[in-house]
Amino acid sequence: MSLLTVENLSVINSSSGRSISILKNIGFSLNSGETLAVIGETGSGKSMLCKSIIGLLPPGFLCSGNIHYTSSDNTKTSIISAEKSDLLNIRGREIGMVFQEAAASLNPVVRCGNQITDVLSVESKIDKNKAKKQARKLLETVGLSEPERIFHAYPHQLSGGMAQRVALALALAGKPQLLIADEPSSSLDSITKKYYLNLLNRLKQENNLTLILVTHDVDEALSFADNILVLYAGCMTEYGRTGAIKKAPAHPYTKALLNIARALKEKDFPTPIPGEISSLTNPPSGCRFHPRCPKAQDICRLKEPPSIDISDNHSVRCFFPAETI
Amino acid sequence: MQAGTTASKTLLQIQDLRIVYQQKNTFFTADQTVHAVNGVSFSIRQGESFAIVGRSGCGKTSIAMSALGFVKPSAGAISFMGENIWQLNRKDLRQLRPLIQPVFQDYGNSLNPRMTVNKIITEALRTQPNDRTQSDAVIQLLDSVGLDSGIRLRFPHQLSGGQKQRINIARALALNPKLLILDEPVSSQDLSAGVKLIELLNSLKQTYELSYLLISHNLSTVRLLSDRIAIMKDGVFIERGPAETLLQHPSDNYTKELIDASNLTNLSKTEQA
């Protein structure tokens, strides 16, 4: 069953007086229990996509298209046109989010346990003592070995990995169906990162969570997700099942990212993608990847590429996807 | 990987370094003593790249901060070009400091948001005697880190992550350093930008005969950038050796665990089964 459907999502930032296209024609669907990895470079719009889904875009950002979310009671909500009160019911209870800088997303002057207790007493409508018990249990669930100490600790007393897990406990407190994790492991060391990803996997199984994992680590996306969405400068370049993308990436950008990840793994020196990611304030005409694309031809500079279905659930936006080059 | 460094002279020598932090009782915490570094010794030769690898909180950055003269060691000695930096008077330390330059992980916050790139680099150049005009020097430095001269009129918020880190490197180079302390230089970068930075750092090492003290938890970065590696845990080195040898034939279980953790391929298979 499709839990989340995103159709032709576009986001424009008009806060500075001029319109800057942040996201353009994004479309995908996510079934219950699946994991979607969103990959792309910094500035590709990954975090903005997450904020659009949870209805947390900053003032001055205009959203168009459709984001349909199916709640646990089978009610369908259009996130873009939903009333503020409906969004309040969805945020936390239906869709939880772990923000990129976990430590910064925690309240620095409230003990970690109390932050989780507050969420539990509001979301589950239970008394404080029960909520405190559940908060301790949640801290245990996210793999913190000293839940009692962490419960009484302030965020600054935690390591990066601990803060990340407290933020996860906070997101899980509302028992969401869909969890959005925005670069949860980017600042963690390799052992903590692997532990955290394994933990996410376990929690996903136990709670039948659907997960959107935002990352710029291609290896992480390939190892963890069922589907992958590749973003470049606000445009969707490729979307499909992980296996299909891993086996035969169709877009030159996806291919380049996968080649770098593969070279790093095989202990070769990788070949980086030439140039820098296109600026969103002054994007190139046609395909936004064309200035860096080794296969670019005249049409790529003139027209925006259409979405081509390569197979079931595998689409690419390119005039010359891998098979036809 | 980077050969030809063994015959050169020792640049940085650290002997039995110990760093202890005393945390005083505050509103939030009780008195606490943290032994961050517990007797670490190593040396870096001219033109060599030495990496310290370990998990967050193992004491890597404390060593770097001490070598930079920011954190006073509780015991031990740090010598740079034969001078114990913690025994130098203020004037001598001031002369020595430009030779050891840091490049921090948080590239964005290391740049003054109110200064243009030109001003950021000019500030560093002003402290150095220079034959060239400052604008020529800025353009040359930008060129050496692979940036176009047009970028010098921009502010940090107008730059990408990769460009910001290159500006940090250019500013460090403005002081003609001999040793760069690279604290997680590519961990916040995208895959492609990170690879480009590694390429740049390797080429700058040759061009400027630089030595690197690399602090990282990313083994891919370390493998591509360093000649020798030390694995650190709880304030001590538990294993050290040439980069390729250590990564291919680790002898300590902790090193094996670190290498294993950087391989995510068995993740979904084991956990989702």
Side-chain angles (χ1 to χ4, degrees):
Chain A
M1 187 190 72
S2 177
L3 185 76
L4 182 79
T5 311
V6 176
E7 292 166 344
N8 287 325
L9 174 71
S10 294
V11 174
I12 289 170
N13 174 9
S14 57
S15 58
S16 58
R18 55 185 285 219
S19 293
I20 301 163
S21 168
I22 305 290
L23 289 173
K24 218 173 174 187
N25 295 330
I26 310 293
F28 64 89
S29 72
L30 185 58
N31 291 335
S32 182
E34 281 190 342
T35 298
L36 170 76
V38 183
I39 60 172
E41 288 168 85
T42 308
S44 59
K46 305 187 294 290
S47 296
M48 282 298 155
L49 175 62
C50 297
K51 286 181 179 171
S52 309
I53 293 169
I54 202 168
L56 275 179
L57 282 175
F61 282 66
L62 305 170
C63 216
S64 64
N66 282 313
I67 302 174
H68 291 295
Y69 175 77
T70 312
S71 302
S72 38
D73 58 0
N74 269 336
T75 318
K76 289 202 176 189
T77 311
S78 165
I79 303 279
I80 292 176
S81 55
E83 294 291 323
K84 208 173 172 183
S85 56
D86 292 334
L87 280 178
L88 284 174
N89 281 329
I90 286 176
R91 271 191 223 125
R93 280 178 206 149
E94 291 287 340
I95 308 177
M97 184 156 172
V98 181
F99 291 91
Q100 192 169 357
E101 285 177 45
S105 70
L106 300 172
N107 189 332
V109 292
V110 178
R111 292 179 197 274
C112 296
N114 290 348
Q115 296 189 44
I116 302 170
T117 306
D118 285 348
V119 176
L120 280 166
S121 38
V122 172
E123 299 295 355
S124 308
K125 297 187 176 81
I126 50 174
D127 68 65
K128 271 259 153 115
N129 284 336
K130 258 190 181 170
K132 278 185 180 174
K133 261 187 191 169
Q134 283 194 20
R136 286 185 174 89
K137 211 173 166 197
L138 258 177
L139 288 172
E140 253 183 87
T141 310
V142 295
L144 288 161
S145 53
E146 299 169 280
E148 197 55 39
R149 184 175 77 79
I150 308 293
F151 187 94
H152 294 287
Y154 288 93
H156 76 274
Q157 295 171 313
L158 308 178
S159 70
M162 284 175 182
Q164 195 65 257
R165 277 175 273 170
V166 171
L168 178 63
L170 205 56
L172 293 174
K175 296 187 181 122
Q177 282 198 98
L178 172 64
L179 182 71
I180 302 174
D182 189 358
E183 307 230 14
S185 63
S186 62
S187 58
L188 304 179
D189 61 71
S190 53
I191 293 177
T192 316
K193 179 178 178 171
K194 193 161 187 176
Y195 177 83
Y196 187 84
L197 292 173
N198 280 329
L199 170 73
L200 271 183
N201 241 339
R202 179 169 61 79
L203 293 172
K204 203 184 129 207
Q205 307 289 313
E206 287 172 3
N207 304 307
N208 193 29
L209 271 175
T210 307
L211 191 66
I212 296 181
L213 177 75
V214 176
T215 179
H216 57 233
D217 185 337
V218 177
D219 203 25
E220 187 177 308
L222 292 174
S223 317
F224 198 76
D226 302 300
N227 296 297
I228 292 180
L229 172 71
V230 189
L231 284 181
Y232 182 82
C235 295
M236 189 171 134
T237 55
E238 193 162 353
Y239 169 68
R241 301 293 293 174
T242 305
I245 289 184
K246 191 176 180 179
K247 199 174 164 194
H251 197 283
Y253 179 58
T254 320
K255 213 171 179 178
L257 287 178
L258 261 63
N259 281 342
I260 296 174
R262 200 168 294 140
L264 284 173
K265 232 175 181 178
E266 288 167 6
K267 301 180 174 64
D268 289 334
F269 203 100
T271 311
I273 306 168
E276 297 274 340
I277 190 166
S278 309
S279 149
L280 291 177
T281 48
N282 193 17
S285 59
C287 170
R288 287 188 178 182
F289 185 62
H290 87 251
R292 303 173 77 185
C293 182
K295 307 284 180 190
Q297 297 188 23
D298 285 345
I299 191 167
C300 308
R301 293 172 192 101
L302 298 170
K303 283 185 175 178
E304 283 181 24
S307 176
I308 299 169
D309 288 334
I310 293 179
S311 62
D312 250 10
N313 286 326
H314 187 186
S315 61
V316 63
R317 279 182 191 270
C318 182
F319 287 108
F320 308 103
E323 279 87 343
T324 58
I325 290 170
Chain B
M1 187 175 33
Q2 278 94 27
T5 53
T6 45
S8 44
K9 61 182 178 185
T10 300
L11 202 64
L12 180 77
Q13 177 122 36
I14 291 186
Q15 283 172 316
D16 198 26
L17 182 71
R18 287 165 199 274
I19 300 171
V20 178
Y21 296 113
Q22 302 285 352
Q23 281 185 348
K24 290 265 163 72
N25 185 14
T26 66
F27 180 73
F28 295 108
T29 54
D31 275 356
Q32 221 180 343
T33 303
V34 179
H35 294 266
V37 182
N38 275 322
V40 161
S41 303
F42 66 93
S43 61
I44 302 177
R45 293 171 188 274
Q46 201 174 339
E48 188 188 33
S49 178
F50 182 78
I52 304 175
V53 182
R55 296 182 68 180
S56 305
C58 73
K60 314 184 289 283
T61 301
S62 292
I63 296 177
M65 289 298 169
S66 206
L68 283 163
F70 297 151
V71 172
K72 195 172 183 183
S74 312
I78 301 175
S79 304
F80 185 76
M81 296 170 76
E83 305 272 7
N84 186 332
I85 62 167
W86 284 100
Q87 283 176 358
L88 290 175
N89 62 36
R90 226 174 149 155
K91 193 181 158 203
D92 291 339
L93 186 61
R94 189 173 271 238
Q95 282 184 341
L96 195 118
R97 266 205 164 133
L99 302 176
I100 313 175
Q101 282 300 304
V103 175
F104 294 109
Q105 175 182 12
D106 193 354
Y107 49 78
N109 287 334
S110 317
L111 302 173
N112 189 329
R114 293 178 161 200
M115 285 186 181
T116 59
V117 168
N118 192 56
K119 201 163 180 200
I120 288 168
I121 299 175
T122 308
E123 264 217 325
L125 282 168
R126 228 184 275 152
T127 63
Q128 293 292 297
N130 217 319
D131 300 338
R132 299 162 293 178
T133 62
Q134 280 185 348
S135 68
D136 281 350
V138 171
I139 291 169
Q140 198 186 329
L141 281 164
L142 288 174
D143 184 54
S144 66
V145 294
L147 291 174
D148 187 78
S149 61
I151 214 166
R152 68 191 197 283
L153 300 176
R154 293 199 202 160
F155 287 91
H157 75 272
Q158 296 170 307
L159 307 173
S160 71
Q163 287 171 331
K164 281 181 198 163
Q165 194 60 299
R166 279 162 196 258
I167 301 297
N168 277 314
I169 295 169
R171 178 177 56 185
L173 292 177
L175 296 163
N176 296 319
K178 289 195 176 296
L179 174 70
L180 284 191
I181 296 186
L182 308 165
D183 192 356
E184 304 276 9
V186 300
S187 71
S188 317
Q189 302 280 332
D190 300 315
L191 210 50
S192 179
V195 172
K196 277 189 219 163
L197 261 178
I198 292 170
E199 266 185 348
L200 173 72
L201 287 167
N202 274 335
S203 101
L204 290 174
K205 191 171 157 231
Q206 305 292 324
T207 315
Y208 293 89
E209 293 178 345
L210 291 168
S211 302
Y212 293 151
L213 171 58
L214 174 67
I215 308 288
S216 184
H217 55 67
N218 182 338
L219 288 167
S220 311
T221 312
V222 165
R223 187 174 53 78
L224 298 172
L225 255 177
S226 52
D227 303 306
R228 286 189 300 133
I229 296 177
I231 306 290
M232 194 171 183
K233 187 188 177 191
D234 300 334
V236 291
F237 286 172
I238 54 162
E239 190 172 3
R240 67 171 94 188
E244 285 298 330
T245 317
L246 190 139
L247 292 175
Q248 277 176 18
H249 310 287
S251 56
D252 191 274
N253 283 339
Y254 183 71
T255 313
K256 287 177 189 164
E257 195 185 347
L258 272 177
I259 294 169
D260 180 57
S262 63
N263 180 9
L264 297 176
T265 41
N266 55 354
L267 190 73
S268 51
K269 279 108 197 166
T270 52
E271 290 293 316
Q272 281 176 358

